[in-house]
Amino acid sequence: MSTESPDEPPVGPRLFVQVSREGPWLRVELRGELDLFTAPALLDQVGLLIGQRSSPRIALQMSQVGFCDSAGLNALAGMFQRVSAAGGDLVLLRPHPRVAQVLAITALDRFLPVYDALPPDPG
């Protein structure tokens, strides 16, 4: 799977994605908007990551995602379900304040773990 650099086109109309490995975690740095237009491509890309590893540990870096609509929220919930079904973990890292507020209003932050930094390796 190719990851995007800042010079490459975005995954969707307004979302850039860069993947890096940090210990047991795959950090997926998102920049832009998570919405009806960008969510399907992100779901496809995260689906590829899930398929690459057993018990995937994926951290979505969301500090530069300034907008997330209902399609984006649905994508986050779907990713959580897929990763959990594969025996893995999905966490959100430092969501933008506007996105954090939406997560709280919708109560998604009750089951989508939110951290300031990558959680330690339990093993």
Side-chain angles (χ1 to χ4, degrees):
M1 185 183 105
S2 66
T3 58
E4 296 185 0
S5 71
D7 296 333
E8 293 182 30
V11 167
R14 297 172 303 272
L15 184 69
F16 289 87
V17 176
Q18 186 169 10
V19 178
S20 61
R21 186 176 308 275
E22 293 186 32
W25 291 95
L26 292 173
R27 180 189 293 260
V28 180
E29 185 174 342
L30 305 175
R31 215 169 5 106
E33 299 178 2
L34 184 53
D35 59 21
L36 178 65
F37 301 106
T38 60
L42 179 62
L43 280 171
D44 289 345
Q45 193 163 16
V46 169
L48 292 173
L49 296 175
I50 293 168
Q52 289 180 355
R53 302 178 78 177
S54 61
S55 303
R57 301 185 84 196
I58 299 173
L60 299 178
Q61 173 67 45
M62 304 210 30
S63 60
Q64 295 183 48
V65 176
F67 178 79
C68 182
D69 69 6
S70 61
L73 295 173
N74 190 45
L76 293 174
M79 283 184 259
F80 179 80
Q81 290 173 339
R82 290 176 67 185
V83 171
S84 295
D89 297 302
L90 177 80
V91 299
L92 307 181
L93 298 178
R94 290 176 285 210
H96 188 282
R98 284 188 295 252
V99 174
Q101 182 180 24
V102 171
L103 292 168
I105 289 169
T106 59
L108 284 175
D109 62 348
R110 292 186 185 166
F111 75 92
L112 283 171
V114 176
Y115 294 95
D116 286 331
L118 285 173
D121 184 9

